[in-house]
Structures are given as structure tokens and as C-alpha cells.
Amino acid sequence: QVQLVESGGALVQPGGSLRLSCTASGSGLVITAMGWYRQAPGTQRELVAVITSGGVTNYADSVKGRFTISRDNAKNTVYLRMNSLKFEDTAVYYCKADSPVANTEYVRTKWGQGTQVTVSS
């Protein structure tokens, strides 16, 4: 079973920076896309950034130019570098990883436990 372990969430002042990390572990690990989602109180969980195994990235408009997603395939780790943090970035950030099911067209999605990012003065 794939396990995702996240770290890096913290209380930070506006304009500050954080780096979130998420490492996948398990036997027979094959991961295609990895991404970060976030959910603020009273809102739907939304995509923040996603990266494929080939390095293709996509970002939510609200974080473009401020956040950078990257991954180390050898370590099965995805990172989210967050700069110029704003109050509206406050949310629980969740890591997601997609794993193909062998000999099928299905993809299994695994979620991390979430890490809290709070931006406050």
C-alpha cells in the first residue's frame, strides 16, 4: 500500500516562505502524477499544483508566480515551494499521488494526511 508522508506546514507571516515535502513509500511503487491540493475552512478542496513524472507542471491561477512544484522521482518525493505567502493561502495542504493499476486503464489515487499552513501576522 502506498503511503504519503507530508511535512513543512507551519505558521508563517505574510510575505514569508515555506517548502512542503511529500514522500511516497511502499512496495512496487509506480507513480505518475503528483500534486498538491488545499482546503480552507468552508471551501472545496482545490488544486494548487500538479507535476507529471516527465516534469510537466500546472498551477492554479492564484499561485502562479509564487509557488513552484518539483519532484525527485528517485526519492518519490514532491515539493511545493511557496513564496510571498498571503493570508488567503491559509489552508490544509494535501499531497496526492496517482498510481496506475497494472494491465488496466485505471489509476489509483492516494492522499496524504494533510499539513496545515497558516499565514498570519
Side-chain angles (χ1 to χ4, degrees):
Q1 182 179 1
V2 175
Q3 300 288 332
L4 301 180
V5 179
E6 302 165 341
S7 64
L11 174 65
V12 64
Q13 294 181 329
S17 298
L18 288 173
R19 190 182 75 160
L20 306 183
S21 299
C22 173
T23 298
S25 62
S27 60
L29 207 57
V30 178
I31 297 176
T32 52
M34 299 187 77
W36 291 94
Y37 290 67
R38 67 186 182 187
Q39 186 169 19
T43 71
Q44 297 269 8
R45 187 175 298 184
E46 64 178 1
L47 183 145
V48 177
V50 64
I51 184 168
T52 70
S53 58
V56 178
T57 61
N58 192 29
Y59 297 90
D61 288 340
S62 60
V63 307
K64 286 181 179 177
R66 299 188 297 119
F67 291 10
T68 302
I69 189 170
S70 61
R71 67 189 288 175
D72 185 335
N73 290 338
K75 297 181 179 180
N76 292 311
T77 298
V78 63
Y79 306 94
L80 184 68
R81 179 67 182 181
M82 304 184 293
N83 295 325
S84 302
L85 283 162
K86 304 174 180 179
F87 171 79
E88 52 263 42
D89 296 319
T90 296
V92 177
Y93 284 71
Y94 297 92
C95 177
K96 188 183 78 170
D98 293 335
S99 300
V101 179
N103 301 314
T104 75
E105 296 183 356
Y106 293 100
V107 175
R108 183 175 292 110
T109 296
K110 180 69 176 181
W111 292 92
Q113 80 286 352
T115 184
Q116 177 71 48
V117 173
T118 302
V119 184
S120 177
S121 60

